[in-house]
């Protein structure tokens, strides 16, 4: 036990932090202690990312100058009107998409509905007999609710299938599949290129939920040939609570994309106030109504942090992925050292190819997860838990340090040893 109690592990964490190519980015975020001064190790970026330091000043300028003094002129003079596509261009390289294929607007749920109904309609243009939607059986609940609604809207039948089995289950009746890239409970990473290719071989369309992967690992939407993708921006992209989601529509599909929500903002001539709907060209047809400018521009400022990564875009995500895996490897090793045997089991895959950027630990006593997480938070280690009995720890490579990881594992061990 001397190794755990002494300085060797602390020295190892310090060496890893010193060698971290992304370590300077930590200073770009507000990671101070709680209001009472308690130091905080923040491992809940998979639910809400930390605040980039430059955002408050930018948001104050938007409110005080652009809204307060320029008022309606800001739609044109401050670029508010183009913001959904402009911010989409900042997201695009982080998910492996070329320009002109990502728009930022609306919520994740709204964008899932657009993408899934649009995917079914596309599939039926090619083969009217396709009457089935597949959905990841362990999907985030909201995605499941939306999939049920999409099935009703399109007259399709919905079938839940484990994500790992979707490739084999897709057949001649399948119109589209909605799949989570990373499982929100377990942190398991699913095979986006392989599942997409299998769906295409079956003549179906692939819709991906990137909420737990965008900003944490390479996605490669263009390289995989994905049809549609949706993701939130308040997790690893640090856009703030309720920041608008993004929608990806592959370029060659955009002329055929028939959104179930044709709003005035996606009209080809939005200010003509025409009675009939004519969709805009390109990714702008993914818009619906008036964008949430305050949240959208806060997100735009947040995304500027990525410009400080050595190589913005795909190469940056390689750096981020390497650190993510190193953080989660270190955490799993330190949990094993600190936590009493038999109290926790990792439900996150050990293999790098199947792991996202979180670690989920199942409590032997499932009822213990809530109280344990409450005590961790009281002691300055912030994660969260999900029923039944899962403690979740999210690792945001832009600001999480190896010293954070060691501290979190140590406090977790202390809490569990103190409990009967």
């Amino acid at each position: 036990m001397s190794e755990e109690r002494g300085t060797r592990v602390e020295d190892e964490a310090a060496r890893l932090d010193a060698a971290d190519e992304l370590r300077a980015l930590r200073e770009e975020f507000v990671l101070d202690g709680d209001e009472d001064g308690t130091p905080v190790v923040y491992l809940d970026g998979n639910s809400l990312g930390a605040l980039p330091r430059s955002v408050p000043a930018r948001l104050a300028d938007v409110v005080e100058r652009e809204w307060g003094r320029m008022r309606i002129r800001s739609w044109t003079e401050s670029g508010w009107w183009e913001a959904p596509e402009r911010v989409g261009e900042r997201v695009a390289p982080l998910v492996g998409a070329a320009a002109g294929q990502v728009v930022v607007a609306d919520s994740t749920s709204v964008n899932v509905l657009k993408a899934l109904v649009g995917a079914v309609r596309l599939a039926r243009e090619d083969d009217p007999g396709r009457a089935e939607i597949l959905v990841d059986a362990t999907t985030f609940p909201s995605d499941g609710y939306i999939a049920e609604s999409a099935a009703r809207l399109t007259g399709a039948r919905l079938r839940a299938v484990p994500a790992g089995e979707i490739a084999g289950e897709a057949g001649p009746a399948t119109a589209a599949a909605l799949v989570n890239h990373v499982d929100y409970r377990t942190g398991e990473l699913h095979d986006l290129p392989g599942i997409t290719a299998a769906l295409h071989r079956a003549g179906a369309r692939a819709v991906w939920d990137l909420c737990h992967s965008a900003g944490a690992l390479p996605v490669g939407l263009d390289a995989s040939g994905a049809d549609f993708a949706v993701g939130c921006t308040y997790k690893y992209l640090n856009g703030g609570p309720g920041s608008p989601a993004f929608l990806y529509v592959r370029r060659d599909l955009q002329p055929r994309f028939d959104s179930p929500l044709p709003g005035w903002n996606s009209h080809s001539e939005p200010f003509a106030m025409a009675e009939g709907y004519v969709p805009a060209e390109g990714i702008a047809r993914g818009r619906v109504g008036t964008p949430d400018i305050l949240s959208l521009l806060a997100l735009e400022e947040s995304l500027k942090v990525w410009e400080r990564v050595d190589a913005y875009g795909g190469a940056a995500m390689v750096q981020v992925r390497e650190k993510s895996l190193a953080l989660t490897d270190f955490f799993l090793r330190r949990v094993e050292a600190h936590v009493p045997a038999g109290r926790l089991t990792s439900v996150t895959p050990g293999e790098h190819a199947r792991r996202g950027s979180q670690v989920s630990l199942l409590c032997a006593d499932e009822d213990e997860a809530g109280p344990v997480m409450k005590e961790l938070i009281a002691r300055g280690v912030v994660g969260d838990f999900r029923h039944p009995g899962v403690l979740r720890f999210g690792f945001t490579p832009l600001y999480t340090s190896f010293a954070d990881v060691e501290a979190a594992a140590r406090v977790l061990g202390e809490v569990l040893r103190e409990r009967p």
Side-chain angles (χ1 to χ4, degrees):
M1 292 294 292
S2 61
E3 188 264 343
E4 279 71 41
R5 291 176 180 166
T7 61
R8 289 175 56 189
V9 174
E10 293 176 358
D11 288 346
E12 181 184 2
R15 287 195 302 272
L16 290 168
D17 281 329
D20 175 17
E21 296 178 347
L22 302 175
R23 65 185 180 278
L25 293 174
R26 182 178 173 89
E27 298 303 316
E28 303 287 341
F29 293 88
V30 177
L31 295 168
D32 306 328
D34 278 348
E35 291 179 349
D36 62 1
T38 303
V40 170
V41 172
Y42 190 67
L43 298 181
D44 207 11
N46 54 322
S47 284
L48 177 64
L51 171 67
R53 291 189 183 277
S54 66
V55 169
R58 172 59 180 138
L59 202 50
D61 182 59
V62 173
V63 172
E64 294 170 6
R65 182 179 61 86
E66 295 184 5
W67 177 17
R69 294 197 291 274
M70 295 179 69
R71 292 176 286 275
I72 201 166
R73 290 164 45 211
S74 282
W75 283 105
T76 53
E77 296 179 31
S78 298
W80 288 2
W81 184 261
E82 299 83 11
E85 291 81 20
R86 186 177 68 245
V87 181
E89 295 298 272
R90 286 190 174 273
V91 172
L94 304 178
V95 293
Q101 298 177 104
V102 178
V103 65
V104 176
D106 307 309
S107 68
T108 301
S109 297
V110 170
N111 283 329
V112 169
L113 182 67
K114 296 177 200 173
L116 192 52
V117 172
V120 172
R121 290 173 174 175
L122 277 169
R124 284 180 170 170
E125 281 185 7
D126 300 327
D127 182 353
R130 294 188 177 269
E132 177 184 72
I133 297 173
L134 301 181
V135 64
D136 179 351
T138 58
T139 192
F140 188 74
S142 185
D143 282 16
Y145 309 152
I146 296 296
E148 291 176 0
S149 179
R152 292 194 299 271
L153 286 170
T154 59
R157 62 180 177 274
L158 183 67
R159 186 157 63 99
V161 177
E165 299 175 17
I166 283 177
E169 289 291 323
T174 307
L178 173 61
V179 196
N180 285 251
H181 195 197
V182 173
D183 187 296
Y184 80 99
R185 287 190 185 90
T186 67
E188 180 176 1
L189 173 64
H190 296 129
D191 181 7
L192 188 152
I195 293 172
T196 298
L199 288 167
H200 288 173
R201 286 194 297 272
R205 299 293 179 177
V207 180
W208 285 94
D209 183 326
L210 308 180
C211 285
H212 286 84
S213 59
L217 52 90
V219 175
L221 290 176
D222 285 352
S224 70
D227 301 295
F228 296 87
V230 174
C232 64
T233 60
Y234 48 80
K235 301 181 190 297
Y236 297 108
L237 295 178
N238 308 297
S243 57
F246 64 87
L247 170 68
Y248 165 90
V249 182
R250 203 177 70 220
R251 187 184 308 281
D252 63 302
L253 301 180
Q254 291 173 12
R256 299 171 58 200
F257 173 44
D258 182 11
S259 172
L261 297 171
W264 81 282
N265 246 238
S266 63
H267 196 284
S268 61
E269 296 184 71
F271 292 99
M273 304 301 171
E275 292 185 6
Y277 178 75
V278 178
E281 296 294 325
I283 194 61
R285 68 175 57 191
R287 297 168 64 149
V288 182
T290 306
D292 184 341
I293 289 298
L294 298 183
S295 289
L296 188 56
L297 298 186
L299 169 62
E300 182 174 36
E301 184 65 28
S302 298
L303 291 170
K304 291 179 182 178
V305 170
W306 290 91
E307 296 174 355
R308 297 159 179 66
V309 182
D310 288 344
Y312 180 51
M317 295 315 303
V318 171
Q319 283 183 285
V320 166
R321 178 60 168 164
E322 288 174 353
K323 183 178 177 184
S324 166
L325 292 172
L327 288 167
T328 50
D329 280 343
F330 189 54
F331 183 66
L332 287 165
R333 181 158 61 86
R334 301 314 302 148
V335 166
E336 185 177 0
H338 284 295
V339 171
R343 298 294 292 275
L344 298 174
T345 302
S346 175
V347 294
T348 301
E351 308 96 306
H352 285 181
R354 296 179 55 224
R355 187 194 308 167
S357 199
Q358 73 183 56
V359 172
S360 295
L361 303 173
L362 178 65
C363 292
D365 178 357
E366 293 180 352
D367 293 334
E368 196 172 43
V372 166
M373 185 53 68
K374 183 177 180 180
E375 183 59 26
L376 282 172
I377 293 171
R379 299 188 191 191
V381 175
V382 180
D384 63 20
F385 79 98
R386 291 290 181 266
H387 296 289
V390 173
L391 303 172
R392 296 197 317 168
F393 301 91
F395 300 83
T396 303
L398 297 190
Y399 57 74
T400 304
S401 71
F402 290 91
D404 287 340
V405 170
E406 168 58 22
R410 174 178 50 77
V411 175
L412 177 59
E414 292 171 359
V415 170
L416 287 170
R417 283 194 299 273
E418 292 170 11
R419 292 182 64 81

